[in-house]
């Protein structure tokens, strides 16, 4: 199947999910929106993944391509009912594209515990609560009409959404691997944010926390992918 992946930053990519998607036999086409690549037509696309990034979801004046991206997400989810998975910015974009709202607030940076809603399909088989890597200063403040809120944390009431049968999104970063935070922290502006949030050496502190949770993060990422595929009707193994 054909996966379209919208990426907003070179360092914020599929990470842990890349080998899962390719290992299931699917093809991936990545569009680097921050580098000026154009959005493609959705014909022939079987699933849409929208990743995180340093942009704020409402910064359309600074990043005008956000307008077209939201329109494409609306077409994919509302009109075509394509399977969708959004991460962080991709979670916020889903909310805004479908009539919800986002705003500054609810900042979470570091490893945070999230509580899933009872019987939330995306988190089936995961502990409650479960740890996640978080890095956001914007949150979804109003879910789109008809959406289900499927997880929350003490600092953020809308940690995950489900729209219809096949569209899901999470505010956290389930894709992180050991080394991901260090990679993000190579950007001076990002390192400064981590120092402000976590204290001096914030990048190393966050990286250490991710490494300590590496085993459960990997297990949970696999569960998320399997559950999403099951709900979306996507094969988890190559077809023979």
């Amino acid at each position: 199947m054909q996966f379209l992946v919208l990426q907003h930053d070179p360092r914020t990519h599929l990470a842990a999910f890349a080998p899962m998607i390719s290992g299931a036999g699917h093809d991936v086409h990545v569009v680097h929106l921050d580098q000026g690549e154009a959005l493609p037509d959705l014909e022939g696309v079987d699933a849409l993944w929208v990743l995180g990034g340093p942009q704020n979801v409402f910064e359309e004046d600074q990043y005008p391509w956000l307008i077209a991206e939201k329109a494409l997400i609306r077409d994919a989810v509302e009109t075509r009912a394509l399977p969708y998975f959004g991460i962080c910015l991709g979670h916020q974009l889903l909310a805004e594209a479908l009539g919800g709202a986002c705003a500054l607030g609810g900042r979470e940076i570091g490893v945070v515990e999230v509580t899933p809603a009872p019987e939330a399909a995306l988190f089936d088989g995961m502990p409650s609560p479960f740890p996640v890597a978080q890095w956001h200063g914007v949150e979804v403040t109003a879910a789109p009409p008809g959406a289900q809120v499927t997880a929350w944390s003490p600092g953020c009431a809308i940690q995950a959404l489900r729209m219809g049968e096949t569209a899901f999104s999470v505010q956290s970063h389930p894709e992180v691997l050991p080394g991901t935070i260090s990679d993000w922290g190579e950007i001076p502006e990002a390192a400064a944010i981590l120092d402000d949030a976590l204290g001096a050496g914030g990048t190393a502190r966050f990286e250490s926390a991710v490494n300590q949770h590496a085993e459960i993060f990997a297990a949970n990422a696999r569960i998320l992918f399997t559950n999403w595929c099951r709900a979306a009707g996507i094969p988890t193994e190559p077809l023979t």
Side-chain angles (χ1 to χ4, degrees), residues 134-225:
Q134 297 273 15
W135 189 343
H136 69 100
V138 172
E139 63 179 328
V140 178
T141 54
Q148 296 174 279
V149 177
T150 58
W152 51 84
S153 70
C156 180
I158 304 178
Q159 278 285 344
L161 291 170
R162 178 173 185 171
M163 194 74 188
E165 295 299 316
T166 61
F168 299 82
S169 64
V170 295
Q171 180 60 71
S172 61
H173 283 280
E175 82 281 12
V176 296
L177 294 165
T180 297
I181 306 303
S182 295
D183 192 26
W184 293 351
E186 290 181 1
I187 304 171
E189 294 83 358
I193 292 172
L194 291 178
D195 286 348
D196 178 65
L198 304 175
T203 300
R205 291 170 184 263
F206 196 177
E207 177 67 35
S208 176
V210 168
N211 290 340
Q212 291 172 22
H213 290 83
E215 186 173 341
I216 190 169
F217 281 1
N220 285 348
R222 170 56 71 179
I223 292 171
L224 282 177
F225 182 70

Side-chain angles (χ1 to χ4, degrees), residues 57-79:
V57 65
F58 40 72
E59 292 180 324
E60 295 176 353
D61 289 343
Q62 186 173 353
Y63 307 103
W65 42 263
L66 286 169
I67 299 171
E69 184 176 16
K70 291 174 189 177
L72 182 138
I73 291 170
R74 190 178 309 114
D75 182 24
V77 175
E78 283 193 341
T79 305

Side-chain angles (χ1 to χ4, degrees), residues 8 51-53 55-57 87-94 171:
H8 310 98
L51 306 182
Q55 303 83 6
N56 288 326
V57 65
I87 295 174
C88 197
L89 178 58
H91 167 69
Q92 298 161 11
L93 285 164
L94 176 69
Q171 180 60 71

Side-chain angles (χ1 to χ4, degrees), residues 73-141:
I73 291 170
R74 190 178 309 114
D75 182 24
V77 175
E78 283 193 341
T79 305
R80 301 172 185 262
L82 285 179
Y84 179 95
F85 191 70
I87 295 174
C88 197
L89 178 58
H91 167 69
Q92 298 161 11
L93 285 164
L94 176 69
E96 285 217 346
L98 301 184
C102 300
L104 290 168
R107 186 174 84 157
E108 295 176 306
I109 298 177
V111 175
V112 175
E113 286 198 333
V114 165
T115 300
E119 300 181 3
L122 188 64
F123 308 112
D124 184 35
M126 294 170 59
S128 178
F130 57 87
V132 295
Q134 297 273 15
W135 189 343
H136 69 100
V138 172
E139 63 179 328
V140 178
T141 54

